Structure formats: C-alpha cells, structure tokens
C-alpha cells in the first residue's frame, strides 16, 4: 500500500499534541513569517529521542527563531544544557528574545555566527572538555558534509546525531540528471553526507522519511 504523504501530514497535524501554548504560538508565528521550522513528526521524534536518551549536553546547528531549541529545553532533563548556533542576525536576535521569555530554566545558550567556524573552534578545544551527547543538525543542507568532521569529534559516548531535511522534498531520490542544474551541487553534497554517515565505522545510521527525511545516527561508544 502506498501512503499519500500529504494526507499523512494532515493526519499528523490533527493528532493530540502536548505542546505548551507558548510553543504553539511560536510555531504559528514562524509559519506565518515563513521561517522553516521542524515539522510535527520531527518534533515528535526529537521529543521521543530526548526522553529515551536523557542527554546532558545538547548541540543544535541552525536555531532560526528558537522554536526547536525551546522544544528541546521543554523535553530534556532539568539539568541539560543546550548550545545553539545561528548565523542570521535578525533570527538570532528574535531567538534570544524568545529564550529570554520562555527558557525559564536557563538551559539555552545561543551563539551568533557561522557554524563552520564555531564548530571548528569547539572541536579544536585542546582541553577536550566540551562534548555533546545529542546533536541536532538543521542548518544549510549543503554544508552538512563540511560540518561532519567536527561533529565526529564533538559527539561522544553513545551520543545521538539527528539531521533534518535529508530528502529535500524528495529530490534526493532523483538521479543527478533529473535535478535542475542549479540544485545539483546541494544534491551531490547531501548524497555525499548520507553516504559518509552510512559508511562511518563509529556510527550506526538509519534514514527515516519523517519530516522532510531525517537521519538518526548513534555513536557506537
Ligand atoms: N531548527 C530550527 C527550528 O526548527 O526551529 C530551524 C532552523 S532553519 C531550518 C535553518 C537555520 O540555519 C536558518 O535560520 C539559517 O539562517 C541557519 N543557518 C544556515 N547556515 C548556517 C550556518 N552555516 N551557520 C549557522 N546557521 C546557519
């Protein structure tokens, strides 16, 4: 049986949801302003993984206006900390305002800047004190492959890496020649990223069709 993706999304949207009101409002606002935030099934998957894994140190690449960071703050253990990176100044400012309002337990720290530079700096820390046991990648899709070497250093123990928007509205499944010329670089880079995860000796990865396609990787520890 083939499942109609659109009907599935509509059904998901209608399912009971325990998102607190402030997050529902942020979700509506982001959609109205065309800020690309995580979809319902990705939200549920992240919440589920947080409950299962109970991470202490969370890293997010791609904050936007802070919706997913606040979801992670809501469903992670009381003492968890969340470090999130956003390069767009306006979005970072709005995210910080949202954190000031809604991150009651002060879990979230935002750094504005290019993730490529920030991740490189974190991974180069000679003390090796900083590590993460839960990483959520949700930034510029073409750059994931460049971030991966740093992510490998920063993800420790039996840490979890979740990457969103893998399928790129399904275009990842198309052959290179079916993809418009202007999208071929990002298509090639995303395929390279998925291949690199699948070949990684230190991680087990599954590719799910949740959201716009997500990979879920666990470090073998
Ligand atoms: N995770 C957010 C949520 O669900 O609420 C949505 C993130 S949105 C899909 C991706 C964000 O990544 C954008 O706001 C974009 O500005 C940011 N971004 C893209 N490339 C980046 C980079 N190299 N460094 C930091 N942020 C980046």
């Amino acid at each position: 049986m083939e499942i109609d993706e659109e009907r599935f999304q509509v059904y998901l949207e209608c399912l009971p949801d325990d998102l607190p009101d402030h997050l529902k409002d942020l979700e509506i606002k982001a959609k109205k302003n065309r800020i690309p935030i995580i979809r319902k099934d990705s939200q549920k998957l992240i919440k589920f993984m947080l409950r299962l894994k109970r991470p202490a140190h969370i890293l997010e690449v791609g904050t936007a206006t802070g919706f997913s960071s606040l979801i992670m703050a809501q469903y992670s253990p009381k003492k968890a900390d969340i470090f999130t990176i956003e390069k767009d100044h306006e979005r970072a400012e709005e995210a910080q305002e949202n954190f000031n309002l809604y991150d009651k337990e002060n879990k979230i720290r935002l750094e504005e800047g290019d993730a490529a530079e920030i991740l490189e700096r974190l991974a180069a820390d000679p003390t090796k004190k900083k590590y993460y046991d839960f990483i959520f990648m949700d930034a510029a899709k073409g750059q994931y492959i460049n971030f991966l070497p740093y992510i490998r250093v920063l993800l420790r123990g039996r840490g979890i890496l979740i990457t969103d928007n893998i399928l790129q509205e399904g275009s990842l499944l198309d052959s290179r020649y079916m993809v418009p010329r202007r999208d071929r670089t990002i298509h090639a880079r995303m395929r390279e990223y998925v291949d690199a995860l699948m070949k990684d000796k230190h991680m087990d990865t599954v590719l799910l069709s949740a959201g716009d396609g997500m990979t879920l990787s666990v470090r073998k520890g």
Side-chain angles (χ1 to χ4, degrees):
M1 186 188 65
E2 204 166 300
I3 292 173
D4 179 332
E5 180 60 26
E6 220 167 281
R7 283 181 66 212
F8 180 59
Q9 287 304 328
V10 171
Y11 177 66
L12 268 181
E13 293 284 335
C14 299
L15 286 177
D17 197 327
D18 68 348
L19 265 195
D21 286 345
H22 68 278
L23 288 178
K24 283 188 186 148
D25 292 346
L26 281 185
E27 187 180 30
I28 292 167
K29 188 175 173 199
K31 282 184 184 164
K32 203 171 120 217
N33 295 335
R34 298 185 172 277
I35 307 283
I37 56 166
I38 46 169
R39 298 182 194 183
K40 276 275 179 256
D41 43 355
S42 309
Q43 292 171 29
K44 287 188 188 301
L45 184 85
I46 287 180
K47 175 181 161 188
F48 181 88
M49 293 310 297
L50 288 168
R51 297 283 199 221
L52 191 70
K53 175 73 191 151
R54 300 191 53 75
H57 306 296
I58 300 171
L59 170 66
E60 175 181 59
V61 187
T63 321
T65 50
F67 177 69
S68 52
S69 321
L70 285 163
I71 288 214
M72 293 195 282
Q74 179 77 24
Y75 299 113
S76 55
K78 228 178 165 36
K79 287 196 171 149
D81 53 68
I82 302 168
F83 181 62
T84 183
I85 305 171
E86 174 57 51
K87 74 169 182 189
D88 181 276
H89 178 63
E90 264 179 47
R91 286 186 181 176
E93 262 191 350
E94 192 176 333
Q96 192 55 62
E97 281 167 22
N98 287 329
F99 299 155
N100 294 345
L101 282 172
Y102 304 121
D103 178 24
K104 299 285 184 222
E105 283 160 331
N106 227 345
K107 288 177 168 179
I108 308 174
R109 191 160 80 77
L110 165 73
E111 185 165 337
E112 186 185 324
D114 189 339
E117 288 164 23
I118 295 170
L119 293 174
E120 183 178 11
R121 187 195 74 218
L122 293 177
D125 172 15
T127 67
K128 302 258 183 270
K129 270 194 193 143
K130 203 64 216 163
Y131 71 90
Y132 299 91
D133 48 0
F134 195 100
I135 300 184
F136 177 46
M137 282 247 267
D138 191 21
K141 323 302 161 208
Q143 289 182 39
Y144 290 169
I145 187 69
N146 301 334
F147 298 159
L148 192 56
Y150 310 126
I151 296 296
R152 283 189 177 116
V153 174
L154 294 168
L155 189 70
R156 304 250 183 100
R158 290 178 200 275
I160 301 274
L161 165 66
I162 299 181
T163 313
D164 204 6
N165 298 111
I166 292 283
L167 294 179
Q168 299 166 57
E169 310 284 338
S171 69
L172 190 83
L173 310 177
D174 294 334
S175 101
R176 170 182 164 76
Y177 300 102
M178 296 285 289
V179 174
R181 205 170 273 276
R182 64 171 190 280
D183 296 332
R184 281 191 191 160
T185 307
I186 191 162
H187 178 264
R189 292 178 136 241
M190 191 55 105
R191 281 199 165 193
E192 207 186 322
Y193 177 71
V194 176
D195 284 359
L197 285 180
M198 294 294 172
K199 282 189 212 150
D200 195 309
K201 288 196 195 86
H202 304 290
M203 283 195 257
D204 280 323
T205 295
V206 284
L207 173 56
L208 307 174
S209 60
D212 182 25
M214 296 183 107
T215 50
L216 198 55
S217 310
V218 58
R219 213 171 170 284
K220 290 177 188 168

